[in-house]
């Protein structure tokens, strides 16, 4: 897979040095996310960085900011985990990080999920709003199962059908993420497939993340099928902290709240470049992997 290099080290007049992130930086960038009260565990950082290129900003040998990008195929990328320590905000460090990450991506579709504080910066860099994400979380309740049409059933996924899950995810997300889906399938605590007379039509994963577990991605042909996948995994995790980040247009917000997963955040989906292309009659991405990776 082609991956343009992260720019080399650069130093500004204020003494802030930008350099490529390495695996040895994970402990310090995790501390930055804890400072922001983000829920990421060291294991979550390690899994995201395994597929990413990152940049850190240092001053006097101390990491004060970081950001990552994920390159999917030859024409798509996502950007996330953009953090500037509060004491250094307002000094254009975030702008420098973003400019470095966008270097080499002029002919790409670049996706990110923006906080209210970061949206203005991203708009100045050419990103446009395309939607919203609704973050829901709480203690999952025992959930009534959703009836499926005749011929459809839910079943556990097998490692031998990774190719089908890669295909469904690529169609629903609008970009190929084969290595990520393989990693998630191997590490998920549960992965359930929507089977329609032997044909996989959707899937969903339950994974360790942050304060507990996350449900995502969730790919399905329609909202009722998505509910069936989510209800199954929420039932497995009943009584435990559960998070899911859904597309606001999915129409699942009220239903998720009815099963104990309340809305807590609403980041903005933004894209720079060509819009993400998804088949008109193909599967839909109802819940994302993470706000960082999309």
């Amino acid at each position: 897979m082609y991956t343009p290099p992260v720019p080399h080290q650069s130093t500004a007049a204020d003494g802030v040095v930008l350099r490529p992130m390495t695996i040895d930086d994970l402990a310090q960038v995790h501390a930055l996310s804890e400072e922001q009260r983000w829920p990421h565990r060291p294991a979550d950082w390690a899994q995201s960085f395994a597929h990413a290129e990152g940049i850190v900003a240092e001053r006097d040998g101390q990491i004060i900011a970081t950001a990552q990008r994920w390159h999917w195929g030859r024409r798509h990328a996502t950007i996330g985990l953009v953090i500037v320590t509060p004491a250094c905000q307002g000094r254009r460090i975030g702008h420098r990080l973003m400019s470095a990450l966008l270097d080499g991506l002029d002919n790409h579709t670049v996706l990110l999920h923006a906080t209210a504080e970061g949206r203005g910066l991203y708009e100045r860099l050419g990103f446009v709003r395309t939607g919203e994400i609704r973050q829901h979380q709480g203690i999952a309740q025992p959930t009534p199962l959703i009836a499926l049409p005749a011929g459809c059933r839910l079943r556990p996924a097998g490692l031998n059908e990774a190719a089908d899950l890669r295909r469904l995810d690529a169609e629903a997300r609008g970009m190929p993420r084969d290595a990520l889906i393989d990693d998630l399938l191997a590490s998920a605590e549960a992965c359930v497939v929507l089977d329609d007379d032997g044909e996989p039509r959707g899937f969903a994963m339950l994974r360790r993340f942050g304060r507990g577990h996350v449900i995502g991605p969730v790919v399905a042909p329609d909202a009722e099928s998505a509910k069936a996948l989510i209800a199954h995994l929420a039932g497995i995790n009943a009584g435990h902290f559960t998070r899911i980040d859904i597309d606001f247009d999915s129409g699942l917000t009220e239903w998720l709240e009815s099963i104990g997963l309340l809305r807590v955040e609403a980041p903005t989906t933004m894209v720079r470049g060509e819009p993400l292309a998804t088949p008109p009659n193909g599967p839909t991405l109802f819940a994302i992997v993470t706000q960082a990776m999309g």
Side-chain angles (χ1 to χ4, degrees):
M1 180 178 73
Y2 168 73
T3 304
V6 172
H8 295 299
Q9 177 172 311
S10 64
T11 305
D14 59 4
V16 175
V17 177
L18 261 60
R19 64 166 175 79
M21 180 178 165
T22 73
I23 194 168
D24 293 332
D25 297 321
L26 287 176
Q28 285 195 66
V29 296
H30 174 248
L32 285 180
S33 64
E34 286 190 313
E35 187 179 36
Q36 302 287 328
R37 297 190 177 182
W38 289 8
H40 300 67
R41 304 168 302 147
D44 301 326
W45 273 99
Q47 185 173 47
S48 68
F49 186 60
H51 302 280
E53 299 170 312
I55 292 181
V56 297
E58 285 185 325
R59 188 176 61 189
D60 299 327
Q62 182 71 28
I63 294 178
I64 59 172
T66 187
Q68 292 186 25
R69 74 181 180 191
W70 295 265
H71 199 87
W72 310 116
R74 299 186 63 85
R75 289 291 179 265
H76 297 90
T78 50
I79 286 178
L81 295 174
V82 181
I83 308 173
V84 180
T85 190
C88 296
Q89 291 176 6
R91 303 181 186 181
R92 294 181 58 81
I93 296 173
H95 187 279
R96 290 174 58 196
L97 289 170
M98 285 296 300
S99 296
L101 287 182
L102 289 169
D103 186 34
L105 298 182
D106 288 344
N107 297 320
H108 291 64
T109 294
V110 186
L111 169 75
L112 60 77
H113 294 107
T115 62
E117 295 78 12
R119 194 159 52 232
L121 166 62
Y122 304 137
E123 288 174 344
R124 291 191 293 274
L125 290 169
F127 286 85
V128 297
R129 180 190 180 280
T130 60
E132 289 185 0
I133 293 295
R134 289 290 189 268
Q135 179 182 329
H136 289 256
Q137 63 188 43
I139 305 302
Q141 301 173 4
T143 305
L145 298 181
I146 306 296
L148 291 169
C152 291
R153 66 186 179 98
L154 301 183
R155 59 170 176 79
L159 290 174
N160 61 342
E161 59 188 333
D164 288 324
L165 304 193
R166 292 188 214 116
R167 173 183 55 80
L168 288 166
D169 177 74
E171 291 179 3
R173 176 72 285 181
M175 61 180 77
R177 306 188 293 181
D178 291 2
L180 175 62
I181 295 304
D182 287 351
D183 183 4
L184 297 180
L185 179 59
S187 60
E189 294 197 359
C191 180
V192 61
V193 171
L194 174 68
D195 187 293
D196 184 357
D197 285 331
E199 177 71 19
R201 297 284 306 282
F203 70 95
M205 297 185 187
L206 177 70
R207 308 165 12 241
R208 281 285 289 118
F209 181 85
R211 294 171 54 189
H213 289 77
V214 65
I215 295 175
V218 176
V219 174
D222 52 62
E224 288 303 301
S225 298
K227 287 181 182 179
L229 290 163
I230 296 166
H232 179 84
L233 295 180
I236 291 175
N237 212 43
H240 300 283
F241 183 87
T242 308
R243 170 177 169 172
I244 184 169
D245 295 73
I246 63 165
D247 186 335
F248 175 65
D249 291 335
S250 67
L252 300 181
T253 291
E254 291 187 5
W255 177 75
L256 287 170
E257 292 187 338
S258 75
I259 63 171
L261 304 181
L262 304 182
R263 188 186 71 147
V264 297
E265 192 177 281
T268 301
T269 304
M270 305 187 78
V271 170
R272 193 179 87 152
E274 293 294 323
L276 290 165
T278 55
N281 297 316
T284 297
L285 185 69
F286 283 87
I288 61 177
V289 175
T290 65
Q291 291 182 21
M293 290 188 283

